Amino acid sequence: MTDATDATGRDSLGRTGSPRLAAARLAIGLAQGAALWWLYRSVREPEAMVWPATVPELFGPLAMILVMVPVLMLAGVGRMRWPVLLGWAVGATVFLALLGWHGVAGQGAGEYGPGRYPPFLPWPMPLFAATALFIGHHLVLPADMERRWIAAFPTYFDTAWKAGVQLALSIGFTGAFWLLLFLGAALFKVIGLEFLGDLISKDWFSIPVTTVIFATAVHLTDVRDGLIRGVRSVVLMLLSWLLLLMTVLAAGFLAALPFTGLDGLWETGSATALVLSAAAALIILINTAYQDGRADNLPPVILRVTVRVAAVLLTPLVVIAFWGLALRIGQHGLTPDRIIAVACAVIGAAYAAGYGFAALSPFWRKAAGWMQPLERTNVATAVLEIAVILALFSPIADPARLSVADQMARLERGAVKPDAFDYRFLRFQSGKAGEAALARLARSPDPVIARSARNVMAVENRWDDVDVGSPNRTPQYEVAPAGAALPPGFAVPVPPTDERAGCNAPGTCVASVRDMNGDGSPEVLVANNWSIQLWTRDAGGAWSRAGQWTHGQCSRPGETRADMRDILRKGELRPVAPLWPELEIGGVRSGPIEPYRDCRRVIASAPR
């Protein structure tokens, strides 16, 4: 005889293990795996990407949707009514599509980082998007369970903390599965059977299997609510006692500030992040002690006192965070990171106000329950967090756009001098908004601003340490052989972004004029201590670097390689036709073959 199940698949004993529910979760996992495999196939060969990887504005949102929305479905099936679940999935998809599209579309061509490669998403937007979905899911689920817009706080607490434990266990189960699979492959390999190792290396197997195993883990951890609640109770009990330690540390830090001052904190350069992290830790630990607010979960007296003290300590921590942000913004203006920090501080202020009120309210009114205003604060701040995340990663309050506007205003009103302005920020850290502003600066009537903007626009690598504000400089060459002349237009003033600008001192570079390809037009070889560069002139007379050679000699440890400038001075080089031809591979010219030198053999045979 089997137990009857309700409309959500839950039986009379509170178990969610019906065959239909298991089949639904496995189908979701399999569909997610197939979709992610299809997405991965489009970028498996970076040099030959196919649709949809060729459209970053589509690929980025798709990647987030296919990773996150199925997880929401796994968490909601069997717990939410199907119309509500499907509506929530559609809403989450639209939310992720908006954030993903805006994040990818706003990136500039000069930005360097994970956004330039699949999945093209700018960090930390995916993390905030996942956070918003977790919060949103645990606002929708309790409301649907109780059939009202705002559920009772114990339901919010129960579903959110259970989901957190369930997620951690499911990820751990999936990781353990793969560890055992690799172990099995290693065992088979030692007896000459490599079929399992070959199988798990195939993306068509590994991706769907991972998602199906994760879905299986979600279902297995959901079979009996009591088991998860037991694990959750142990976790909450352990964490609640850590609140005592964190409160002592925070109180000690604040008590010491009048004697030490804040200069040491400001000098770290990460004062806001430190104090906001401490406030976040207190908020989480306060909730582990308070739990759902029911009388049967009332913590010991020492923890109740600690919760009130910790709730009051949030306010000075958040004040310090705002103070530090105000100082940094006043000195250096807005940046995307500082805008995100302001948003986090606003959320921290909401928690501090609500928790502080809950802790101190018994002193002026009769409280309905121990720290009960905390419950309304948690629900209201959860909604605020979603709204703030949506604003930050959409056109509403785009940090890049706001930062560029502030930095440009600072330059225009003279708060920062043209030679001290951070032109690199516009080029590499503020997306298309920064690039548009940089193009405007390149047309500025101020020669310093225009020159600096043009120079930084020529920088390709954000890590290239070039003083873009310096004026054009004339490179200095030692010409070999002595007395020879360089072609007109070569040794002329060049901007600091030109590689010839590195030849800025006598003896730094040696130059020699040669006709390297026999076309009757001279080229210039420029040697520094480790390479020889080839400079060619186009039909318009402009010089550009065509390539370089390095000396692939072998040397014993401790020996120094030959200085390429000495080689050029002595003329110890000559053009040599390649022994092996270049190849055209898949329609792409490969370039000359790279010689292989076994330095161990060369060194061993060399006379000592």
Side-chain angles (χ1 to χ4, degrees):
M1 180 177 179
T2 58
D3 296 307
T5 59
D6 61 18
T8 65
R10 189 180 304 276
D11 65 22
S12 58
L13 299 178
R15 297 175 298 192
T16 54
S18 72
R20 286 186 301 172
L21 185 55
R25 283 193 170 121
L26 291 177
I28 292 171
L30 184 60
Q32 181 189 25
L36 288 175
W37 171 74
W38 165 73
L39 205 63
Y40 173 76
R41 289 283 294 180
S42 69
V43 297
R44 193 173 66 168
E45 303 295 339
E47 67 278 3
M49 291 193 300
V50 298
W51 189 90
T54 53
V55 186
E57 292 83 358
L58 173 65
F59 187 93
L62 265 180
M64 284 205 302
I65 291 168
L66 293 179
V67 169
M68 298 181 191
V69 174
V71 177
L72 295 181
M73 298 287 289
L74 290 173
V77 67
R79 295 181 173 276
M80 298 170 64
R81 291 171 293 171
W82 276 106
V84 177
L85 177 58
L86 292 177
W88 165 231
V90 170
T93 299
V94 172
F95 176 82
L96 293 174
L98 173 62
L99 265 62
W101 171 83
H102 178 72
V104 176
Q107 295 178 49
E111 289 182 294
Y112 179 81
R116 290 281 299 276
Y117 308 98
F120 308 105
L121 297 169
W123 187 256
M125 186 266 289
L127 176 63
F128 279 89
T131 301
L133 288 189
F134 183 88
I135 296 170
H137 184 78
H138 295 98
L139 290 174
V140 175
L141 174 59
D144 181 59
M145 292 173 65
E146 297 192 357
R147 306 296 193 266
R148 54 179 180 166
W149 287 102
I150 301 177
F153 181 76
T155 308
Y156 289 120
F157 174 84
D158 180 69
T159 55
W161 280 91
K162 178 190 172 183
V165 173
Q166 193 174 9
L167 180 63
L169 291 176
S170 299
I171 293 174
F173 180 86
T174 306
F177 170 84
W178 275 104
L179 286 176
L180 294 178
L181 212 56
F182 280 117
L183 176 60
L187 289 174
F188 279 112
K189 186 175 181 179
V190 298
I191 59 174
L193 299 177
E194 300 188 4
F195 72 95
L196 185 56
D198 293 338
L199 181 64
I200 64 179
S201 67
K202 305 296 185 183
D203 51 76
W204 57 260
F205 173 82
S206 60
I207 296 175
V209 163
T210 299
T211 57
V212 169
I213 291 300
F214 180 81
T216 302
V218 170
H219 186 73
L220 292 175
T221 55
D222 203 36
V223 170
R224 289 186 181 272
D225 286 352
L227 297 177
I228 298 299
R229 287 195 174 95
V231 174
R232 184 190 64 188
S233 297
V234 173
V235 171
L236 290 173
M237 183 270 293
L238 294 174
L239 290 177
S240 65
W241 285 101
L242 288 179
L243 175 63
L244 186 60
L245 172 63
M246 188 63 209
T247 303
V248 170
L249 294 175
F253 166 75
L254 293 171
L257 287 181
F259 305 99
T260 63
L262 289 169
D263 290 343
L265 184 62
W266 304 147
E267 289 173 0
T268 64
S270 56
T272 299
L274 284 173
V275 294
L276 285 180
S277 297
L282 285 176
I283 292 168
I284 293 171
L285 294 176
I286 286 171
N287 281 277
T288 63
Y290 183 80
Q291 298 192 28
D292 57 9
R294 290 173 174 165
D296 54 351
N297 286 325
L298 196 66
V301 174
I302 187 173
L303 281 183
R304 296 204 296 272
V305 173
T306 304
V307 165
R308 292 191 185 277
V309 174
V312 173
L313 293 179
L314 287 175
T315 297
L317 289 175
V318 172
V319 168
I320 292 174
F322 274 112
W323 190 356
L325 277 171
L327 291 176
R328 296 294 290 179
I329 293 172
Q331 293 170 349
H332 307 291
L334 290 176
T335 64
D337 289 344
R338 289 174 195 143
I339 291 177
I340 292 175
V342 169
C344 293
V346 168
I347 293 171
Y351 276 113
Y355 284 23
F357 176 80
L360 299 176
S361 59
F363 292 103
W364 65 78
R365 71 183 184 93
K366 184 178 180 180
W370 176 67
M371 289 288 290
Q372 194 173 44
L374 172 150
E375 300 177 3
R376 295 191 296 272
T377 299
N378 280 353
V379 177
T381 309
V383 176
L384 174 64
E385 288 171 353
I386 297 175
V388 167
I389 291 172
L390 176 61
L392 283 177
F393 299 101
S394 71
I396 299 173
D398 181 12
R401 175 175 57 82
L402 296 178
S403 300
V404 169
D406 179 70
Q407 294 292 343
M408 294 289 285
R410 284 168 52 83
L411 180 63
E412 291 170 0
R413 68 173 181 263
V416 57
K417 296 184 181 301
D419 57 354
F421 184 74
D422 189 359
Y423 300 91
R424 289 176 175 273
F425 168 74
L426 301 180
R427 172 77 168 113
F428 296 111
Q429 295 174 270
S430 52
K432 290 182 178 178
E435 291 184 346
L438 194 61
R440 293 197 301 271
L441 293 181
R443 300 188 295 270
S444 171
D446 187 309
V448 175
I449 293 177
R451 181 183 66 232
S452 300
R454 288 194 299 268
N455 286 343
V456 81
M457 289 170 68
V459 177
E460 294 296 331
N461 185 350
R462 70 180 301 178
W463 311 116
D464 193 359
D465 186 18
V466 177
D467 180 12
V468 297
S470 63
N472 292 355
R473 61 187 70 168
T474 303
Q476 302 182 41
Y477 298 106
E478 174 188 341
V479 183
L486 295 176
F490 187 76
V492 296
V494 295
T497 52
D498 191 302
E499 292 183 86
R500 289 173 289 179
C503 301
N504 54 4
T508 304
C509 300
V510 176
S512 180
V513 180
R514 302 269 185 118
D515 183 2
M516 298 297 293
N517 54 3
D519 64 352
S521 177
E523 286 79 40
V524 178
L525 300 180
V526 177
N528 53 31
N529 63 336
W530 65 278
S531 70
I532 297 178
Q533 301 172 357
L534 172 65
W535 288 79
T536 60
R537 181 165 47 187
D538 61 21
W543 289 90
S544 62
R545 198 180 81 166
Q548 71 178 26
W549 295 274
T550 57
H551 193 7
Q553 71 177 36
C554 298
S555 59
R556 296 188 182 91
E559 291 182 342
T560 58
R561 293 176 179 266
D563 191 317
M564 303 296 272
R565 292 168 295 192
D566 291 335
I567 291 176
L568 197 58
R569 288 187 186 104
K570 300 173 183 177
E572 296 177 347
L573 74 165
R574 62 185 179 87
V576 179
L579 176 62
W580 305 107
E582 297 182 9
L583 296 180
E584 186 177 285
I585 304 173
V588 179
R589 189 168 176 175
S590 67
I593 188 172
E594 299 177 4
Y596 171 72
R597 293 178 174 83
D598 188 342
C599 285
R600 293 172 299 179
R601 183 176 299 174
V602 172
I603 294 173
S605 61
R608 296 181 181 273

